Amino acid sequence: MPGTTAVPTLPRCPRAATGPRPASGTQGARPTLHLDRAAVTANVRTIRAQTGSRVMAVVKANGFGLGTVPVARAALDGGASWLGVTDLDDAELLRRAGLTAPVLAWLHPGGLDVEQAVRARTDLAVGLVEELQQVVDQAPGLVRVHLHLDTGMARGGVPRAEWPALMRLARRAQDGGHLRVVGLMGHLPEADRADPERNAPGVEAFAVGLRLAVSWGLWPLLTHLGATAAALTDPATRFEMVRIGAGLVGIDPSSTTQLRAAGRLTAPVTHAAEVPAGTRVGYGGTHVTTSATHLSVLGLGYVDGLPRELSPDAAVEIGGRRHRVVGRVSMDQMVIDTGAISYPRGTLATVFGPAGTAAPTVQEWAAWAGTIPHVILAGIGSRVRRTVA
Ligand SMILES: *Cc1c(COP(=O)(O)O)cnc(C)c1O
């Protein structure tokens, strides 16, 4: 046809007789975060025995990455009597799963939805006088409320100067039949270590708030202040209930109590190569091999929550041994130097897992990344498959 440019014919590529096939088993072994339910159950038993308090299992942030509902179930099996969430959507998730234990929600990141709370049969913690007023104005039925006092964090909770106004409004609303004040809550700033001395001002402030509530006739109240670190180390913070998040999944920020790690992250080797000395590995070539070695690649990267910058000690377990992570962690991949050993594609690596095996712990990963174990575990991304055992 006139005006039409002929498309040159490209030479055909000869077809390989057999293309590369994934090693058997690779397909079923995608990167996976395994929840050990029994570990959660055991941790709750340990914490109950040590504190003598009722336990609220805080299953926020998708149960610290391990699954809101399965972590909640495992905690209830261990004797937790309450469940705590930041978001009412999580409360609804628990109800839809058929869990009937009392639930408290305290953050309302999308704004407080009083109707949703009633629908999800969930108690609301109010951290502003204004929020309490909203509950009064919008209550579709009797709303159960916990008064959240700021006991030293300035990150939520009613500031101390406004406690009298809070109590007055709470009493009036309760008398008016809009709500029932069932709990008094505070939170302590020293959540990452054992430090009774530094807890003391928060404990004292909470006691002041409690006396004030009682003087307004707001009694009985379920009192709860301490989280994992305080609960395990400082009896003064225990009151009637302790709110346990990190401790459920085996993280004791106070490093005083033997808890069981509930999370194990595994991934198959997706690529393996033998390289000579002087090979630059990964983006920026930040690691150069000093001798001929074998490399294994895992399909996990910073988008999956693994930190991009790690100390040179960072390692994973493959074949029952520890091998170092080398070069920068990429978006979807990380490279492991396995020295003289060549692992076939599909070999399963454990990135972190319980203590007492060759696999590193989340605590070690946190140290390598200069952060806390919560960030590592709760930060594992949503495309990593979850399983429950
Ligand atoms: C996360 C959280 C907890 C649980 O804290 P851990 O240190 O993880 O046990 C308790 N209370 C509040 C208000 C929280 O936000």
Side-chain angles (χ1 to χ4, degrees):
M1 260 198 287
T4 310
T5 315
V7 177
T9 322
L10 294 169
R12 271 185 174 266
C13 219
R15 215 187 159 87
T18 50
R21 282 208 197 92
S24 66
T26 309
Q27 293 301 318
R30 328 174 34 86
T32 302
L33 183 55
H34 310 257
L35 163 64
D36 178 358
R37 282 180 46 113
V40 175
T41 302
N43 290 336
V44 172
R45 291 208 176 103
T46 300
I47 293 164
R48 281 179 63 219
Q50 191 156 325
T51 62
S53 302
R54 257 184 276 190
V55 167
M56 172 187 285
V58 178
V59 292
K60 63 188 180 188
N62 189 27
F64 284 67
L66 293 168
T68 309
V69 171
V71 172
R73 280 192 208 283
L76 293 169
D77 288 348
S81 44
W82 279 71
L83 298 170
V85 294
T86 52
D87 197 316
L88 277 169
D89 287 351
D90 288 343
E92 285 209 286
L93 201 65
L94 294 167
R95 291 300 181 226
R96 275 203 300 275
L99 300 185
T100 55
V103 179
L104 174 68
W106 57 78
L107 268 190
H108 329 308
L112 178 55
D113 184 339
V114 184
E115 217 162 278
Q116 189 185 13
V118 172
R119 199 167 59 233
R121 302 189 307 287
T122 294
D123 291 13
L124 284 176
V126 293
L128 286 169
V129 176
E130 192 185 310
E131 267 180 353
L132 185 60
Q133 186 63 54
Q134 189 193 339
V135 172
V136 173
D137 295 342
Q138 298 176 357
L142 192 69
V143 184
R144 289 167 48 96
V145 166
H146 297 231
L147 303 176
H148 181 184
L149 307 180
D150 179 2
T151 50
M153 279 197 85
R155 185 209 68 173
V158 178
R160 194 157 172 169
E162 293 164 38
W163 292 356
L166 177 79
M167 302 300 175
R168 189 178 329 116
L169 177 58
R171 177 60 202 255
R172 204 151 28 100
Q174 180 158 284
D175 289 347
H178 300 286
L179 54 83
R180 223 165 85 223
V181 179
V182 295
L184 190 73
M185 161 180 179
H187 196 42
L188 295 168
E190 304 303 321
D192 287 347
R193 56 177 161 175
D195 199 341
E197 208 167 299
R198 292 180 67 160
N199 288 335
V203 172
E204 178 54 31
F206 192 64
V208 168
L210 176 55
R211 282 196 294 273
L212 191 63
V214 171
S215 77
W216 277 94
L218 297 168
W219 189 260
L221 282 174
L222 178 61
T223 50
H224 46 105
L225 175 68
T228 302
L232 289 176
T233 58
D234 183 357
T237 66
R238 287 171 193 159
F239 291 87
E240 283 176 59
M241 181 164 69
V242 292
R243 297 187 309 269
I244 303 298
L248 299 176
V249 295
I251 299 169
D252 169 18
S254 73
S255 308
T256 59
T257 307
Q258 197 76 35
L259 298 175
R260 277 170 59 181
R264 188 166 55 88
L265 177 63
T266 59
V269 171
T270 57
H271 174 93
E274 185 174 2
V275 298
T279 303
R280 288 156 51 93
V281 179
Y283 285 118
T286 55
H287 176 80
V288 181
T289 57
T290 53
S291 56
T293 191
H294 292 86
L295 300 178
S296 285
V297 178
L298 305 180
L300 278 170
Y302 59 77
V303 80
D304 301 302
L306 294 172
R308 180 167 176 271
E309 303 291 348
L310 290 164
S311 89
D313 301 330
V316 304
E317 175 273 330
I318 313 179
R321 298 162 189 250
R322 269 195 192 198
H323 297 290
R324 285 197 309 131
V325 178
V326 289
R328 282 212 179 105
V329 171
S330 307
M331 180 177 272
D332 312 285
Q333 301 174 72
M334 58 201 287
V335 184
I336 315 300
D337 187 333
T338 60
I341 310 172
S342 168
Y343 292 105
R345 217 152 57 93
T347 306
L348 211 55
T350 303
V351 178
F352 58 72
T357 68
T361 60
V362 280
Q363 284 80 358
E364 288 182 280
W365 271 89
W368 296 331
T371 187
I372 56 173
H374 315 51
V375 174
I376 303 295
L377 188 59
I380 297 303
S382 58
R383 72 179 182 180
V384 173
R385 176 189 291 178
R386 264 64 176 180
T387 66
V388 181

